[in-house]
Amino acid sequence: MRSHYCGALSTANIDEVVTLCGWVDRRRDHGGVIFLDLRDRQGIVQVVFDPDTEEHFRRADRVRSEYVLKVTGRVRARGDATVNPAMATGEIEVLGKKLEILNSAETPPFQLDDYTNVGEEVRLQYRYMDLRRQEMQDRLIMRSKITSELRTFLDDEGFLDIETPILTRATPEGARDYLVPSRTHPGQFFALPQSPQLFKQLLMVSGFDRYYQVAKCFRDEDLRADRQPEFTQIDIETAFLDEREIMAITERMIRELFKSVLEVDLPEFPHITYKEAMDRYGSDKPDLRIPLELVSVDDLMQQVDFKVFRGPAEDPAGRVAALKVTGGASISRKEIDGYTKYVSIYGARGLAWIKVNDVAAGVEGLQSPILKFMPDEIVAQMIERLSAADGDIIFFGADRAKVVNEALGALRIKVAEDQGMIAPGWSPLWVVDFPMFEEDGEGSWTPLHHPFTAPSCNADALSANPGEALSRAYDMVLNGCELGGGSIRIHERAMQESVFRILNIDEAEAEEKFGFLLNALQYGAPPHGGLAFGLDRLVMLMTGAHSIRDVIAFPKTQSAACVMTNAPGVVSDQQMKELNIRLRQSRTESEKAQ
Ligand code: ASP
């Protein structure tokens, strides 16, 4: 139908007769001349109808915002006075000759060029309209380009794109499963994959050697901040590559992606151990653009009477750390109160601080409610260790190490945002040497990555001291976001069984849930490993969007629902009967309970 995209026209097309198809972005009537801004996925162009073209002019007069038109006309240069530098096609316009109304439109639920006051709920309910906005078109176009570049890279490197099942058994990645009842096996359920983890490992056992998939994953999590119940991974697995080689090839992939899509040369990717990341940044996905670090002061605080500090300093599971904010002495009491409240979300019971007014004056030059609890020489040593200078503020965390790291790690980011301390640009890194397990608080071990990750030690050392064991896992982090993560996998049955035992999965359960994997490991499983990138997050970072919902065409709300289709929804009694399902509560009862 069309000869050109609206947004693709330029002075190069002057005098050409073009046919455009698109939506009316705006219509203006300027004393007998009608201006239509016509929009398609490439952009907007101005079309002018004057009364010479009588029938078409009358039609142009009738159209309203979001009508769908087919317009034929001649491209002409705009006069100097009417050139619009704010518009990509602002040097030209199309003198309309013919206008066909392909469809009319109701008044849009919100204005497409000025949506800022529109709640997200409304945007999602009319997502097909929201997606017409240039910003959303640009993001999804870039998303498509990113996936295409990634596919090309992986294809060129000999990776095979192989699909794995959606109807499957549980694949543990630490979330709840979405379940699908089976009609043909009454009382039994499929689980939607939390990731293709086990299938991609089995593909390595089968000899495919290098696999990838743009894979949908499903995790029924309590939706914290920016998560989606279904999301997309660039899922990768390789055989006969060790962690160095896997990191190198995927680093090159991301580097080339940034170069081709954003024309950005990413800097070096430093490798930082998990321990160092936690010690220095209180996070396993540190944002290295922030010039603030946590500094341990346990040894000093063991020498003070102040119990709030001495207790955690002496406790092997505790930590006392300081966060110096350069130039932060101007932070007001009110702001400090705000930060105290903020760290309480992470379990911190308070936020001690010292303002440094005049270092040369010693303790006299400091201001803080906690100074009276500390001997002067300890304070002096601490100031020296932190290289604190006039105008700085020092915040403290003292608690279990986990609480201190989380609280000060989050505070580090918050203060940097508030004080404008985040350097521009890109800051990638690898985090390596993760612990194999963490304690779940009830004396049991849970895997930090997933139960198929290989340890760096042998099975005896692992069983003797699970808490000390490191894994062969790695995460790629960019600007404080985990872009991707993976590991070398266990490829021997005995080791896999040892890990299951540590995780309190007994033989019967291991057999029932993972018997197929244990078997496969006995039939010549090669050493293998891989990783998965979160595509949504990657696209979010690359497009500069603030939420992954803004780079997904049809995302779910924070409560894991689709407000456009009203999913999830009730199903008919007949369907329930076929599935052999009876609700424990009647629908009205459960609605009442909500
Ligand atoms: N399956 C892992 C995940 O979804 C990624 C990997 O280990 O390859 O986090």
Side-chain angles (χ1 to χ4, degrees), residues 6 48 132 185:
C6 301
V48 190
R132 279 187 200 164
H185 299 272

Side-chain angles (χ1 to χ4, degrees), residues 173 194-195 197 200 219 233 235-237 449-450 485-487 489 530-532:
E173 296 276 1
Q194 293 189 32
S195 85
Q197 185 59 37
K200 68 173 172 175
R219 296 184 191 177
Q233 285 188 344
D235 194 43
I236 291 173
E237 195 75 6
H449 189 40
H450 51 56
S487 57
R489 326 297 184 187
L531 80 176

Side-chain angles (χ1 to χ4, degrees), residues 231-246:
F231 60 97
T232 310
Q233 285 188 344
I234 304 291
D235 194 43
I236 291 173
E237 195 75 6
T238 67
F240 307 113
L241 294 187
D242 64 20
E243 48 270 63
R244 297 272 140 199
E245 293 166 311
I246 293 173

Side-chain angles (χ1 to χ4, degrees), residues 12-151:
N13 302 101
I14 285 175
D15 283 340
E16 277 177 46
V17 173
V18 296
T19 300
L20 309 171
C21 293
W23 288 261
V24 176
D25 199 62
R26 258 188 339 144
R27 177 190 159 284
R28 279 154 297 151
D29 186 344
H30 278 193
V33 181
I34 293 169
F35 291 90
L36 300 178
D37 283 349
L38 198 63
R39 187 190 68 235
D40 59 28
R41 69 178 222 197
Q42 298 280 326
I44 294 178
V45 73
Q46 173 169 293
V47 185
V48 190
F49 278 92
D50 54 37
D52 304 352
T53 54
E54 205 184 318
E55 170 199 348
H56 302 284
F57 178 82
R58 253 189 284 114
R59 245 181 250 149
D61 198 31
R62 253 179 46 218
V63 307
R64 292 292 175 266
S65 283
E66 301 310 312
Y67 273 38
V68 191
L69 307 185
K70 179 178 170 187
V71 168
T72 301
R74 182 179 298 279
V75 181
R76 68 179 186 193
R78 293 203 202 182
D80 282 350
T82 52
V83 163
N84 181 356
M87 207 172 167
T89 60
E91 284 183 82
I92 50 133
E93 63 188 6
V94 175
L95 180 61
K97 292 285 171 220
K98 264 208 258 167
L99 184 151
E100 201 180 317
I101 297 177
L102 300 176
N103 209 346
S104 61
E106 296 288 322
T107 306
F110 47 86
Q111 233 179 310
L112 298 194
D113 52 353
D114 176 20
Y115 72 103
T116 34
N117 290 329
V118 179
E120 197 180 24
E121 187 90 11
V122 182
R123 285 178 55 202
L124 290 179
Q125 193 184 345
Y126 294 94
R127 187 59 156 182
Y128 45 88
M129 299 293 285
D130 186 43
L131 291 178
R132 279 187 200 164
R133 294 189 302 106
Q134 197 61 49
E135 180 183 45
M136 294 305 286
Q137 298 257 316
D138 290 345
R139 287 177 183 150
L140 291 189
I141 289 169
M142 190 184 294
R143 183 181 176 119
S144 168
K145 179 147 196 323
I146 290 170
T147 358
S148 154
E149 292 287 336
L150 292 171
R151 282 182 185 283

Side-chain angles (χ1 to χ4, degrees), residues 118 464 511 537:
V118 179
E511 194 50 46
R537 193 144 294 141

Side-chain angles (χ1 to χ4, degrees), residues 62-339:
R62 253 179 46 218
V63 307
R64 292 292 175 266
S65 283
E66 301 310 312
Y67 273 38
V68 191
L69 307 185
K70 179 178 170 187
V71 168
T72 301
R74 182 179 298 279
V75 181
R76 68 179 186 193
R78 293 203 202 182
D80 282 350
T82 52
V83 163
N84 181 356
M87 207 172 167
T89 60
E91 284 183 82
I92 50 133
E93 63 188 6
V94 175
L95 180 61
K97 292 285 171 220
K98 264 208 258 167
L99 184 151
E100 201 180 317
I101 297 177
L102 300 176
N103 209 346
S104 61
E106 296 288 322
T107 306
F110 47 86
Q111 233 179 310
L112 298 194
D113 52 353
D114 176 20
Y115 72 103
T116 34
N117 290 329
V118 179
E120 197 180 24
E121 187 90 11
V122 182
R123 285 178 55 202
L124 290 179
Q125 193 184 345
Y126 294 94
R127 187 59 156 182
Y128 45 88
M129 299 293 285
D130 186 43
L131 291 178
R132 279 187 200 164
R133 294 189 302 106
Q134 197 61 49
E135 180 183 45
M136 294 305 286
Q137 298 257 316
D138 290 345
R139 287 177 183 150
L140 291 189
I141 289 169
M142 190 184 294
R143 183 181 176 119
S144 168
K145 179 147 196 323
I146 290 170
T147 358
S148 154
E149 292 287 336
L150 292 171
R151 282 182 185 283
T152 305
F153 177 92
L154 291 164
D155 291 341
D156 289 350
E157 292 290 329
F159 284 79
L160 301 168
D161 177 0
I162 302 176
E163 287 163 89
T164 53
I166 294 293
L167 295 178
T168 177
R169 292 209 62 160
T171 315
E173 296 276 1
R176 277 191 208 96
D177 291 317
Y178 273 99
L179 298 175
V180 179
S182 161
R183 181 180 56 80
T184 45
H185 299 272
Q188 297 188 15
F189 294 81
F190 294 104
L192 302 182
Q194 293 189 32
S195 85
Q197 185 59 37
L198 295 178
F199 289 105
K200 68 173 172 175
Q201 289 190 228
L202 295 175
L203 289 171
M204 295 307 107
V205 179
S206 307
F208 288 104
D209 203 68
R210 290 181 175 209
Y211 140 98
Y212 82 94
Q213 185 181 189
V214 181
K216 266 291 171 80
C217 302
F218 306 85
R219 296 184 191 177
D220 184 3
E221 298 184 281
D222 296 323
L223 293 184
R224 278 182 285 139
D226 209 15
R227 300 267 179 116
Q228 281 285 302
E230 61 176 299
F231 60 97
T232 310
Q233 285 188 344
I234 304 291
D235 194 43
I236 291 173
E237 195 75 6
T238 67
F240 307 113
L241 294 187
D242 64 20
E243 48 270 63
R244 297 272 140 199
E245 293 166 311
I246 293 173
M247 284 190 268
I249 197 168
T250 50
E251 182 175 317
R252 194 152 51 76
M253 176 176 89
I254 295 298
R255 202 179 274 293
E256 290 186 16
L257 176 72
F258 272 73
K259 185 77 195 168
S260 62
V261 176
L262 297 180
E263 287 174 36
V264 162
D265 285 306
L266 287 178
E268 282 305 302
F269 287 49
H271 288 214
I272 296 183
T273 66
Y274 173 86
K275 180 170 183 331
E276 187 183 345
M278 296 310 276
D279 283 353
R280 291 174 60 187
Y281 311 107
S283 164
D284 60 359
K285 42 180 190 313
D287 190 339
L288 299 187
R289 297 171 304 165
I290 300 173
L292 304 176
E293 286 194 23
L294 278 57
V295 174
S296 289
V297 290
D298 301 84
D299 55 331
L300 298 176
M301 295 308 154
Q302 283 165 4
Q303 304 169 49
V304 303
D305 284 336
F306 189 32
K307 266 232 223 67
V308 176
F309 278 15
R310 205 185 66 211
E314 285 177 339
D315 179 351
R319 183 177 188 197
V320 186
L323 179 74
K324 180 190 78 179
V325 181
T326 314
S330 55
I331 293 176
S332 68
R333 283 300 283 267
K334 200 164 152 229
E335 283 174 289
I336 296 178
D337 289 346
Y339 290 143

